[in-house]
Amino acid sequence: MKQLGVKTTDTTLPASSLSGGNQQKVVLAKWLAFEPKILILVGPTVGVDVRSKLEIIQQIHQLADQGLSVIVITDDIPELLQVSNEIMVMHKGCSSKLASIDDVDEQWVLDELGKDGEAA
């Protein structure tokens, strides 16, 4: 709970009594307990407050820095740009080429989405 920054006054309370952001952190902690080599997160910050969102993104960066492969699936383009070091856009069953975060911006992502199934 300390590692992920879960905030609670009583660690014996059920996770359902926590805020949305803290519930997300508990779910993340549960999966990390299995010591995975790859972590796939779908919408990891959906429904959480701004502060929790930043903390979750920071945690994702720390996990990647520790050598864990993290795949984030999201439709939140600003979040995608914050959390990624490489991006692949999937749209209508097609995918773009894998691109370094240094080579992309929000417009690149939108352009890839606008190709109507003809991704590069």
Side-chain angles (χ1 to χ4, degrees), residues 36-86:
K37 294 183 190 300
I38 300 173
L39 187 63
I40 301 173
L41 303 172
V42 179
T45 64
V46 170
V48 301
D49 62 85
V50 174
R51 182 175 179 180
S52 292
K53 182 175 185 170
L54 293 173
E55 290 172 352
I56 291 169
I57 289 171
Q58 181 182 34
Q59 185 64 42
I60 292 169
H61 281 285
Q62 288 174 356
L63 292 168
D65 289 345
Q66 294 168 7
L68 181 64
S69 295
V70 182
I71 298 172
V72 176
I73 300 169
T74 183
D75 60 0
D76 182 336
I77 297 173
E79 176 180 282
L80 177 71
L81 297 172
Q82 278 186 304
V83 75
S84 303
N85 58 13
E86 293 181 315

Side-chain angles (χ1 to χ4, degrees), residues 16-33:
S16 61
S17 69
L18 300 173
S19 69
N22 282 311
Q23 288 181 26
Q24 286 287 75
K25 293 175 194 176
V26 168
V27 170
L28 183 57
K30 180 174 73 172
W31 288 113
L32 290 173

